[in-house]
Amino acid sequence: MTSTPPTIPVSLRVSAAPIALRPSWIRAEWVKFRDLRRSRQLLVVTLIAGAVSAVLLVLTIPATRGAPLSETSTEDVLSASVLSVDAAAAVLVVLAAWFAGVEFRTGAITEALLRARGRSGIVAAKAVVIGAAATVAAVATAVAVTISGSLLAATLAGADWSEVLAVAGSSGHLRLAFGSTFLPVIYSLLAVFGAVVFRSVTGGVLTPLALLVGSMLAGWLPDALASVLRPLLPLGAVHNISGVAEAGGTEYIGVLPALLVLVAWVVGGAVLATWRLRRQDF
């Protein structure tokens, strides 16, 4: 009498394999970002550029506003220092565009595309890694420029430390400083999507730059048209969140609508980048 060994059902053998073989795109992108020397260097440059720009912006107040620092209010000194977050945004845009676009230049993206079932995971992973890195760097820069502005206000402008600390910890300054961090984060994400859409580092850099130029041009339009276009662009939305946009101005739409505008830009950019990547041939 013979007996046959038990067999594993076909359905179990088939269903287990894809799960084990499915790559973790976020982990892979994070390891690549962490191990590349240039990404670490650019993050350090981000902090340095922000701190140095804060000092320069404060020191140039007498030339730009026609008043010596001793006659400049603490609020104005700290507000000027926060403008240097834009310098951090420029460095982070370059970092994001390079990180997402260099694989297209070298052809290294081909291996990832061959392994990918759905290419939305690749775009999402790049966006998550860059978004997290840009958020940490932008917040650190906001803290650094606030410290720099406080030191300059207390030394060169001659303000009392109690006044400086009160202004630095006020809700208005905190909203300005940390609301401004949305700009480098959003522009970095748009640089990622631009690099994927245009399959190049240059395309990644030019995408947020074109939106920035568009915001400037929209400001020159008649008020009726500017009030429609400016709030719909990322810069105008960030100005609403940070409190720069004043009620009644052409940029003003409120904080909640501005957040929805930024979400729309990120989601739209991700969808466009995913669609473009799915059309990538080998």
Side-chain angles (χ1 to χ4, degrees):
M1 180 177 178
T2 60
S3 60
T4 58
T7 59
I8 300 175
V10 176
S11 59
L12 294 179
R13 296 200 306 265
V14 173
S15 60
I19 297 177
L21 296 176
R22 186 177 299 162
S24 175
W25 295 117
I26 294 180
R27 181 180 179 183
E29 293 294 332
W30 163 246
V31 170
K32 180 174 63 177
F33 182 87
R34 179 195 64 192
D35 293 343
L36 290 173
R37 180 182 300 177
R38 182 169 296 180
S39 59
R40 299 194 301 269
Q41 291 174 340
L42 289 176
L43 287 177
V44 174
V45 171
T46 298
L47 294 175
I48 295 175
V52 172
S53 298
V55 174
L56 294 177
L57 287 171
V58 173
L59 293 179
T60 56
I61 286 179
T64 57
R65 303 190 181 185
L69 282 175
S70 59
E71 299 179 5
T72 305
S73 66
T74 304
E75 292 87 349
D76 290 340
V77 172
L78 290 177
S79 297
S81 66
V82 170
L83 293 175
S84 59
V85 173
D86 294 347
V91 180
L92 289 174
V93 162
V94 173
L95 169 59
W98 167 79
F99 180 72
V102 70
E103 290 181 314
F104 292 94
R105 186 182 65 189
T106 62
I109 191 67
T110 302
E111 180 181 355
L113 295 179
L114 288 172
R115 295 174 57 195
R117 291 184 173 185
R119 297 179 181 179
S120 59
I122 298 177
V123 177
K126 292 180 182 296
V128 167
V129 170
I130 288 298
T135 299
V136 173
V139 171
T141 301
V143 173
V145 301
T146 297
I147 294 174
S148 299
S150 299
L151 292 173
L152 293 172
T155 55
L156 298 182
D160 294 332
W161 269 110
S162 59
E163 178 188 356
V164 172
L165 294 177
V167 173
S170 65
S171 59
H173 177 75
L174 293 177
R175 179 184 178 183
L176 176 63
F178 292 103
S180 298
T181 61
F182 278 83
L183 184 66
V185 175
I186 296 300
Y187 273 22
S188 296
L189 291 175
L190 294 176
V192 170
F193 302 143
V196 175
V197 169
F198 296 104
R199 304 177 186 180
S200 68
V201 176
T202 303
V205 173
L206 291 180
T207 297
L209 180 60
L211 292 173
L212 180 61
V213 173
S215 297
M216 296 173 58
L217 295 177
W220 298 343
L221 298 174
D223 288 349
L225 187 56
S227 60
V228 174
L229 294 179
R230 296 186 73 188
L232 298 180
L233 294 171
L235 182 61
V238 171
H239 284 171
N240 278 271
I241 295 173
S242 63
V244 173
E246 298 179 354
T250 56
E251 282 186 324
Y252 186 79
I253 55 173
V255 175
L256 182 57
L259 287 172
L260 295 177
V261 168
L262 295 182
V263 170
W265 275 102
V266 172
V267 173
V271 170
L272 180 60
T274 300
W275 173 79
R276 181 72 166 136
L277 194 61
R278 285 176 177 171
R279 296 174 59 88
Q280 173 80 34
D281 29 1
F282 303 100

